């Protein structure tokens, strides 16, 4: 592989000679001899056969036109049910098209290709056939649906990952916060659900949120809830026991919601608060939204995480990029290889602004400068602005979120991989979605890509 990267014209070895097959290949002189001994009338016979085939095709076409096709007489096909038992089904039977999940609630399309073609199930997938797709390295729950990463952090020796989860099925719905912990970001321990949709302000889903570790050691989680009227609001939750390194129990603030969509913002265009950054003695969070087709980032300021003030202006906006969700905003050093705490700013620091574009289901980011006095972020290169420039990844990659790992002074990037399997296949295999991470380690260490 190294040789190939050095030399673009590097040729691969002859795999047939390198790994002999079970059959005996013909020698080159035998192949040539066979070519010379081929009868001369083969070409003429081929032409006659082609003409006969074409004539037969025309005749069949006329018959179909005048008599019509009788689908009821076609042979049935075998379909495998959920218990892997074969059953007969007529080819004319069509599956009911599945409406993309989540769109009517005001979130990204959470289902992909519902079925193949025009609704006909082309292949009878079974759970056993699809089980090989489960990963051994990427994080994923034992079963059912998973999407956006939520509130990742390092606390008392454990890495915590919360994630959007459907406890009932391998499709989007009933969004709950799954919770797992790890010592090494590879081996994970599943814990009880952190939060479930059980209040009017999040009964339609405990959606994406972020964790902020405060200087006094406390933790605040801010997340989007979908209300009983499908309005997107921001809510606060806290660990019930800070002495528990696993943070198993959480309680929701009795005064939720702490934020509702401001005037001029749609009820379903206000979501996914970032980790808070400290400016002087106050904290700021960024929330994604839009004005018509312009993607925007709103900034709120707070001192106690219970009451908030919307700052004047916008952090940033980019026309024609549509709804911004899962916004991420964090500093990076221009002089060192280590990561930075979210609140760091000043000389030698740039800020990354990233948005997940709801219209295209792609993650874009840009590098720029954050002026905390005017509360504005300016891209270094306007031609590479958010939504029109660089993407984290050019495959199936979405809803990414970073956190600062104070344990190893690095920033870790999580992202949801919504596979390209059909929803029908997801239901058969009984799971959907994996997480991917990228970690920037300290100066002399190696990047970890999982």
């Amino acid at each position: 592989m190294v040789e190939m990267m050095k030399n673009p014209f590097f040729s691969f070895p002859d795999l047939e000679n390198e790994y002999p097959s079970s059959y005996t290949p013909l020698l080159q002189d035998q192949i040539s001899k066979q070519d010379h001994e081929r009868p001369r009338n083969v070409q003429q016979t081929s032409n006659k056969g082609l003409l006969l085939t074409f004539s037969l095709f025309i005749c069949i076409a006329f018959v179909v036109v005048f008599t019509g096709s009788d689908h009821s007489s076609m042979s049935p096909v075998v379909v495998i049910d959920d218990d892997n038992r074969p059953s007969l089904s007529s080819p004319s039977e069509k599956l009911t098209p599945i409406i993309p999940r989540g769109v009517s609630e005001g979130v990204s399309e959470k289902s992909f290709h519902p079925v193949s073609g025009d609704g006909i199930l082309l292949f009878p997938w079974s759970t056993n056939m699809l089980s090989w797709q489960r990963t051994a390295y990427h994080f994923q729950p034992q079963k059912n649906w998973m999407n956006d990463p939520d509130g990742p952090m390092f606390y008392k020796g454990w890495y915590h990952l919360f994630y959007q989860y459907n406890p009932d099925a391998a499709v989007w719905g009933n969004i709950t916060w799954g919770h797992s912990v790890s010592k090494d970001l590879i081996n994970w321990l599943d814990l009880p659900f952190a939060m479930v949709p059980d209040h009017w302000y999040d009964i339609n889903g405990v959606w994406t949120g972020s964790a902020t570790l405060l200087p006094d050691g406390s933790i605040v989680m801010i997340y989007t809830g979908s209300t009983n009227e499908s309005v997107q609001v921001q809510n606060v939750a806290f660990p019930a026991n800070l002495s528990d390194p696993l943070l198993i129990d959480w309680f929701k603030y009795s005064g939720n919601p702490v934020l509702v969509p401001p005037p001029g913002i749609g009820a379903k265009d206000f979501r996914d608060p970032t980790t808070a950054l400290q400016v002087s003695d106050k904290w700021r969070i960024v929330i994604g939204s839009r004005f018509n087709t312009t993607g925007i980032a709103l900034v709120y300021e707070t001192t106690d995480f219970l009451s908030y003030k919307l700052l004047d202006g916008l952090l940033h906006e980019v026309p024609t990029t549509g709804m911004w969700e899962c916004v991420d905003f964090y500093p990076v050093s221009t002089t060192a290889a280590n990561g930075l705490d979210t609140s760091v700013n000043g000389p030698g620091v740039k800020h990354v602004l990233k948005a997940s574009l709801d219209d295209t289901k792609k993650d874009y980011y840009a590098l720029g400068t954050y002026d905390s006095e005017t509360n504005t972020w300016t891209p270094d290169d306007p031609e590479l602005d958010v939504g029109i420039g660089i993407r984290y990844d050019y495959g199936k990659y979405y809803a990414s979120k970073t956190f600062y790992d104070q344990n190893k002074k690095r920033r870790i990037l999580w992202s949801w991989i919504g596979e390209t399997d059909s929803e029908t296949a997801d239901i058969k295999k009984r799971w959907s979605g994996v997480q991917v991470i990228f970690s920037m380690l300290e100066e002399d260490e190696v990047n970890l890509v999982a």
Side-chain angles (χ1 to χ4, degrees):
M1 183 61 70
V2 173
E3 182 63 29
M4 183 177 68
M5 294 175 65
K6 292 180 179 178
N7 180 8
F9 301 103
F10 175 81
S11 60
F12 288 96
D14 187 339
L15 297 182
E16 185 171 337
N17 293 331
E18 187 78 14
Y19 304 99
S21 59
S22 58
Y23 67 88
T24 302
L26 292 174
L27 298 177
Q28 187 61 37
D29 59 344
Q30 289 177 302
I31 297 173
S32 301
K33 182 178 179 181
Q34 286 185 354
D35 288 341
H36 288 303
E37 292 177 353
R38 184 176 298 169
R40 295 185 177 181
N41 62 350
V42 169
Q43 183 64 39
Q44 297 175 356
T45 303
S46 299
N47 291 338
K48 290 179 181 179
L50 182 60
L51 181 60
L52 180 60
T53 301
F54 180 75
S55 301
L56 183 60
F57 175 80
I58 293 297
C59 292
I60 293 173
F62 273 112
V63 172
V64 171
V65 169
F66 285 105
T67 63
S69 58
D70 184 9
H71 292 287
S72 62
S73 64
M74 296 174 66
S75 301
V77 296
V78 177
V79 176
I80 307 297
D81 63 19
D82 287 336
D83 296 320
N84 295 329
R85 294 175 299 189
S87 61
L88 296 181
S89 174
S90 168
S92 61
E93 273 187 47
K94 296 183 185 295
L95 299 178
T96 303
I98 301 172
I99 299 174
R101 302 172 192 274
V103 175
S104 61
E105 287 80 7
V107 296
S108 295
E109 181 177 326
K110 300 300 183 185
S111 61
F112 300 99
H113 313 294
V115 287
S116 300
D118 61 353
I120 300 175
L121 183 61
L122 297 182
F123 192 83
W125 292 110
S126 70
T127 304
N128 290 337
M129 292 176 182
L130 295 165
S131 61
W132 64 270
Q133 294 187 31
R134 284 194 63 83
T135 64
Y137 196 66
H138 297 268
F139 173 82
Q140 61 183 147
Q142 294 181 5
K143 62 179 182 178
N144 294 341
W145 172 272
M146 174 180 64
N147 56 288
D148 304 6
D150 296 308
M153 65 177 137
F154 179 81
Y155 185 73
K156 291 186 180 296
W158 290 92
Y159 291 100
H160 291 255
L161 174 64
F162 305 86
Y163 51 91
Q164 306 278 276
Y165 183 68
N166 181 357
D168 300 326
V171 297
W172 186 89
N174 189 26
I175 295 302
T176 298
W177 271 29
H179 183 195
S180 293
V181 293
S182 173
K183 287 285 189 178
D184 56 11
L185 295 171
I186 299 173
N187 301 288
W188 293 88
L189 171 66
D190 291 328
L191 298 178
F193 300 148
M195 288 187 282
V196 298
D198 57 2
H199 289 72
W200 70 267
Y201 52 77
D202 62 11
I203 196 65
N204 280 315
V206 182
W207 289 355
T208 304
S210 301
T212 301
L213 278 68
L214 304 181
D216 63 1
S218 59
I219 301 171
V220 59
M221 194 77 77
I222 312 174
Y223 72 93
T224 298
S226 181
T227 72
N228 55 348
E229 296 182 346
S230 295
V231 178
Q232 294 170 11
V233 298
Q234 312 311 316
N235 306 303
V236 171
F238 304 95
N241 182 8
L242 284 171
S243 64
D244 175 16
L246 298 183
L247 300 174
I248 291 178
D249 296 318
W250 291 78
F251 71 92
K252 300 173 184 177
Y253 172 51
S254 60
N256 281 336
V258 295
L259 285 172
V260 299
I265 297 298
K268 297 181 179 180
D269 299 330
F270 184 65
R271 55 184 178 268
D272 309 338
T274 64
T275 297
L277 63 143
Q278 190 172 22
V279 178
S280 187
D281 60 342
K282 297 181 180 179
W283 295 87
R284 294 178 182 178
I285 62 170
V286 183
I287 297 176
S289 188
R290 67 181 175 117
F291 285 140
N292 298 319
T293 61
T294 296
I296 64 173
L298 304 167
V299 179
Y300 285 84
E301 195 169 68
T302 182
T303 56
D304 58 6
F305 291 92
L306 303 180
S307 59
Y308 295 79
K309 174 187 176 183
L310 176 61
L311 298 185
D312 293 336
L314 299 170
L315 177 68
H316 195 54
E317 61 180 313
V318 181
T320 73
T321 55
M323 176 66 195
W324 283 10
E325 60 179 358
C326 300
V327 171
D328 203 11
F329 187 59
Y330 58 91
V332 291
S333 174
T334 61
T335 60
N338 59 283
L340 299 176
D341 180 85
T342 305
S343 297
V344 172
N345 199 2
V349 173
K350 292 286 185 179
H351 273 76
V352 172
L353 177 60
K354 167 259 160 181
S356 297
L357 303 193
D358 190 22
D359 291 352
T360 62
K361 308 301 181 290
K362 295 178 174 62
D363 274 21
Y364 284 87
Y365 77 97
L367 195 64
T369 301
Y370 176 50
D371 185 339
S372 59
E373 294 295 323
T374 61
N375 184 43
T376 55
W377 175 88
T378 304
D380 288 349
D381 185 349
E383 294 186 0
L384 297 177
D385 208 342
V386 179
I388 60 175
I390 309 169
R391 290 164 55 184
Y392 276 147
D393 188 276
Y394 288 79
K396 203 75 176 174
Y397 187 97
Y398 198 64
S400 58
K401 177 178 292 294
T402 67
F403 76 99
Y404 176 64
D405 175 12
Q406 70 274 24
N407 180 45
K408 293 191 175 182
K409 295 181 173 58
R410 59 182 177 176
R411 182 159 289 271
I412 298 177
L413 172 67
W414 281 102
S415 182
W416 165 49
I417 303 298
E419 305 146 295
T420 55
D421 286 349
S422 68
E423 190 168 81
T424 303
D426 289 341
I427 293 171
K428 285 290 184 182
K429 66 186 183 184
R430 295 189 175 94
W431 58 268
S432 177
V434 299
Q435 296 287 339
V436 65
I437 61 172
F438 175 84
S439 305
M440 187 175 70
L441 306 184
E442 296 179 8
E443 290 190 48
D444 296 326
E445 298 188 55
V446 181
N447 284 341
L448 166 66
V449 179

